[in-house]
Amino acid sequence: MTGRGGGLLVAGTTSDAGKSVVTAGICRWLVRQGVRTAPFKGQNMSLNSFVTRDGAEIGRAQAMQAQAARVEPTALMNPVLLKPGGDRSSQVVLMGRPVGEMSARGYHGGRQEALLGTVVECLEELRRTYDAVICEGAGSPAEINLRRTDIVNMGVARAGRLPVLVVGDIDRGGVFASFFGTTALLSAEDQGLVAGYLVNKFRGDVSLLEPGLDMLRRLTGRRTYGVLPYAAGLGIDEEDGLRVSLRGAVRESVVAPPVGEEILRIAVCAVPLMSNFTDVDALAAEPGVVVRFADRPEELTDADLVIVPGTRGTVRALDWLRKRGLAAELVRRAAEGRPVLGICGGFQMLGEHIEDAVESRAGSVTGLGLLPVRVRFAAEKTLARPAGTALGEPVEGYEIHHGVAEVLGGEPFITDGSGHGLEGCRVGEVWGTHWHGSLESDGFRRQFLRRVASATGRRFVPAPDTSFGALREEQLDRLGDLVEEHADTDALMRLIERGAPVDLPFIPPGAPSGPGDLGAPA
C-alpha cells in the first residue's frame, strides 16, 4: 500500500456485537502481515478511558487496538470521547481534553454535527501516515433517528469513502434478520458502502450455517467475509458495559489452581457510573485469585480484599454505598484491620471530606473517614502517566480525575523511588491511590497480594511468573488468529485496499437521503 492508506469501517448490528475485538483482531492480523496499521473511532461513549503519553484522554478500547497494531495510541485515534455522568448528560472530551458537560439533546442538536470536520481530519491524517486505518463504529449504523448527526458510523464512512463490514453476534440469535434489516434501513448512498458481513461468536458446525449465508448473499448481493467462532476468556478491554454480571465473577479469570494452599477472594463494589473497571483485570489474571463484583454488604464479609473502584460520580457513588449498607461494612472492615483499596474516585470516598462544585455540585460532603484525606474538585482535569515505587517495586499508572487530594497523615502509598511521598495514602490495611492501572505492574501486584494474604491469614502465594503484559499480548494474538484462520483474508485485504465493490445492489425500502445527511457530498 502506498500514498493515502486504505481503510475499513467495522460496524455492528447492535452494541456489543464484537466491533471492538474484531477491530483489534484485524489490526493484529494486518500488522503481522507487515502492514502499518492504526485504529480509529470518531466518537466513543465510555467510562473506560486511557491517557496517552502526551496526556490525552481516549477510549481504552482504542488504546487496546493501538497495542494490537503495535503503535503508540494518540488522540487522533479517538477525537471525541463522551463520558456519561448520568442518564441525560456526558462530559465531552475533544482531542483528549475535556471541553464541558452537555445534554444528549444539546449534543445531538448541533454540537455533534460541528465535530464532523475534526473527526474526518483526524482520520485523513492517520490515512496519510499508515498503510491501513481500521475504524470502529458505534452501536448500529441503522440508528435512523441519529443519522443526520452521525460522526462515527455511516457519516464517517461516506466522508472517507470507507467500505463497511457489518459484524453480527450470532450467539444472541436473529443474525440474518439483523444483517438484512441493518442494510435495508440505510439510504442508497450508505448501502453503496456496505460491502458485506462478518458473523461473530458462532458455536458449532459452520456447514450448518452455510445455507443461510448463501441465501443472505442472494437477498442482499453481499458476501460474508468470515465466521468467527466463540472464544471464551479473551479478557480484552471493552467500552460499553461490564464483562461481568453484577454479582458474578470476572469471566476472564484464569482457571488455574492456586500456587499456595488457599485462594484470595476479592470483592469490587459495583458503584454507579463505574469507570475503568479494567483496573481489576490484572488481579483476575492471577492463579488463585477470584474477583467478583458486589452490591450487597453480605457479599463483602468473606472477601479478603474489598476494592472501591473509580467512578464518574464520586458523591453519587458515596451516597449509594451508604444507602446499600456497604459503607458501614467498609468501616467495620477497616476497624478489624481487613484490607480495603480505593482507586481514584474510590480513594476519594475513603477520605474525610469532599468539596465538589464541579462534578456533582453537591458542595461539602463527608467521606467515609478511613483515610486522612480531604478532596477538592478542580475545574481542570488531571491527566497524567506517572511512575514511582510501592512496596519496594516499580509501579506505573495513569491519572484521570478532577478531585485534588490533600493528604493530612498516614503513610504514602507510592513514593518517587527515594522514599519521599508521591501519591496516595495508607493507614493500617486501608489503601488509596488516584492511579489507574497500577496493578498491571507485576512486581507491585505480587507484593500487594502478599500483603493482603498476610493481613487476612490466607495461605496464598502469588504465582512467580505471571506477566500481565505477556498475557495481554497472547490475547491480542488470539484475536489475530481468529481473523487469519476464520475470515477470507484475501478478500478482506482487497476490501481495505480498494474500497467497497461498485456493483452492490440497493435493498428496499432504504432510508431517505439528501444534502442534510451528515457525510453526504456537497
Side-chain angles (χ1 to χ4, degrees), residues 315-479:
V315 171
R316 174 179 168 180
L318 180 58
D319 182 60
W320 180 87
L321 288 174
R322 287 182 166 129
K323 288 180 177 177
R324 301 285 298 192
L326 279 80
E329 181 61 29
L330 289 169
V331 171
R332 187 178 302 112
R333 287 184 64 89
E336 295 171 353
R338 302 171 67 199
V340 175
L341 170 64
I343 301 174
C344 199
F347 169 40
Q348 296 165 9
M349 287 182 262
L350 297 181
E352 298 173 350
H353 183 80
I354 298 171
E355 193 68 35
D356 182 11
V358 176
E359 188 177 79
S360 69
R361 297 181 175 87
S364 182
V365 178
T366 301
L368 296 181
L370 303 184
L371 291 174
V373 174
R374 298 178 69 85
V375 176
R376 176 185 56 81
F377 274 68
E380 185 174 351
K381 181 185 286 191
T382 297
L383 298 169
R385 287 276 296 273
T389 301
L391 301 180
E393 296 286 345
V395 58
E396 297 180 356
Y398 56 99
E399 294 184 72
I400 307 171
H401 54 93
H402 283 278
V404 178
E406 180 186 7
V407 179
L408 303 174
E411 299 178 34
F413 190 168
I414 302 170
T415 70
D416 62 5
S418 63
H420 296 97
L422 179 65
E423 215 290 314
C425 180
R426 178 177 77 84
V427 173
E429 295 305 324
V430 179
W431 311 68
T433 177
H434 271 129
W435 291 16
H436 294 289
S438 60
L439 293 165
E440 295 179 17
S441 298
D442 297 325
F444 163 69
R445 182 180 66 254
R446 285 191 279 268
Q447 284 292 84
F448 184 69
L449 291 175
R450 288 189 186 98
R451 181 66 183 253
V452 170
S454 175
T456 56
R458 293 287 185 191
R459 296 187 298 276
F460 168 85
V461 178
D465 55 355
T466 301
S467 167
F468 185 73
L471 288 173
R472 177 52 53 89
E473 278 296 305
E474 290 174 11
Q475 291 160 341
L476 293 171
D477 276 331
R478 287 181 63 195
L479 290 180

Side-chain angles (χ1 to χ4, degrees), residues 109-122:
R111 180 59 188 260
Q112 184 181 30
E113 187 172 354
L115 294 174
L116 178 65
T118 299
V119 168
V120 174
E121 286 172 9
C122 291

Side-chain angles (χ1 to χ4, degrees), residues 1 27 29-38 69 130-133 493 496-497:
M1 299 181 184
C27 286
W29 160 66
L30 283 171
V31 77
R32 294 195 308 205
Q33 309 309 307
V35 179
R36 294 178 304 126
T37 306
Y130 293 92
D131 298 330
V133 179
M493 188 70 83
I496 293 167
E497 292 177 334

Side-chain angles (χ1 to χ4, degrees), residues 121-456:
E121 286 172 9
C122 291
L123 172 61
E124 290 306 310
E125 183 170 344
L126 289 173
R127 293 182 78 177
R128 288 190 294 269
T129 306
Y130 293 92
D131 298 330
V133 179
I134 308 304
C135 308
E136 180 188 345
S140 162
E143 306 288 357
I144 55 179
N145 57 314
L146 303 176
R147 175 63 185 89
R148 187 184 65 80
T149 58
D150 171 38
I151 64 171
V152 64
N153 288 308
M154 301 311 300
V156 168
R158 207 191 302 184
R161 304 308 299 169
L162 293 170
V164 177
L165 183 70
V166 181
V167 177
D169 178 358
I170 197 170
D171 204 43
R172 294 184 174 195
V175 73
F176 293 115
S178 297
F179 283 145
F180 185 89
T182 296
T183 310
L185 275 177
L186 300 177
S187 68
E189 291 87 346
D190 287 349
Q191 284 192 29
L193 295 172
V194 176
Y197 314 108
L198 185 77
V199 177
N200 192 30
K201 299 183 183 178
F202 180 72
R203 307 172 191 251
D205 185 347
V206 175
S207 66
L208 299 177
L209 196 64
E210 289 171 354
L213 300 178
D214 292 340
M215 186 177 295
L216 181 68
R217 183 160 191 170
R218 291 195 299 271
L219 289 168
T220 66
R222 290 160 173 82
R223 61 170 299 162
T224 298
Y225 283 79
V227 177
L228 306 187
Y230 183 90
L234 287 172
I236 294 297
D237 299 348
E238 297 179 276
E239 62 191 30
D240 293 329
L242 289 173
R243 296 189 306 280
V244 296
S245 61
L246 189 59
R247 291 185 293 274
V250 176
R251 292 206 299 264
E252 286 73 29
S253 296
V254 173
V255 181
V259 176
E261 296 178 43
E262 293 183 300
I263 64 172
L264 277 186
R265 297 175 177 86
I266 298 176
V268 183
C269 297
V271 298
L273 298 174
M274 190 189 310
S275 62
N276 288 61
F277 56 80
T278 49
D279 281 335
V280 303
D281 285 352
L283 294 173
E286 285 284 350
V289 174
V290 177
V291 180
R292 300 179 68 88
F293 285 78
D295 68 345
R296 299 184 303 204
E298 58 267 29
E299 295 173 315
L300 307 187
T301 55
D302 67 344
D304 301 301
L305 168 67
V306 173
I307 296 178
V308 187
T311 171
R312 254 280 284 156
T314 300
V315 171
R316 174 179 168 180
L318 180 58
D319 182 60
W320 180 87
L321 288 174
R322 287 182 166 129
K323 288 180 177 177
R324 301 285 298 192
L326 279 80
E329 181 61 29
L330 289 169
V331 171
R332 187 178 302 112
R333 287 184 64 89
E336 295 171 353
R338 302 171 67 199
V340 175
L341 170 64
I343 301 174
C344 199
F347 169 40
Q348 296 165 9
M349 287 182 262
L350 297 181
E352 298 173 350
H353 183 80
I354 298 171
E355 193 68 35
D356 182 11
V358 176
E359 188 177 79
S360 69
R361 297 181 175 87
S364 182
V365 178
T366 301
L368 296 181
L370 303 184
L371 291 174
V373 174
R374 298 178 69 85
V375 176
R376 176 185 56 81
F377 274 68
E380 185 174 351
K381 181 185 286 191
T382 297
L383 298 169
R385 287 276 296 273
T389 301
L391 301 180
E393 296 286 345
V395 58
E396 297 180 356
Y398 56 99
E399 294 184 72
I400 307 171
H401 54 93
H402 283 278
V404 178
E406 180 186 7
V407 179
L408 303 174
E411 299 178 34
F413 190 168
I414 302 170
T415 70
D416 62 5
S418 63
H420 296 97
L422 179 65
E423 215 290 314
C425 180
R426 178 177 77 84
V427 173
E429 295 305 324
V430 179
W431 311 68
T433 177
H434 271 129
W435 291 16
H436 294 289
S438 60
L439 293 165
E440 295 179 17
S441 298
D442 297 325
F444 163 69
R445 182 180 66 254
R446 285 191 279 268
Q447 284 292 84
F448 184 69
L449 291 175
R450 288 189 186 98
R451 181 66 183 253
V452 170
S454 175
T456 56

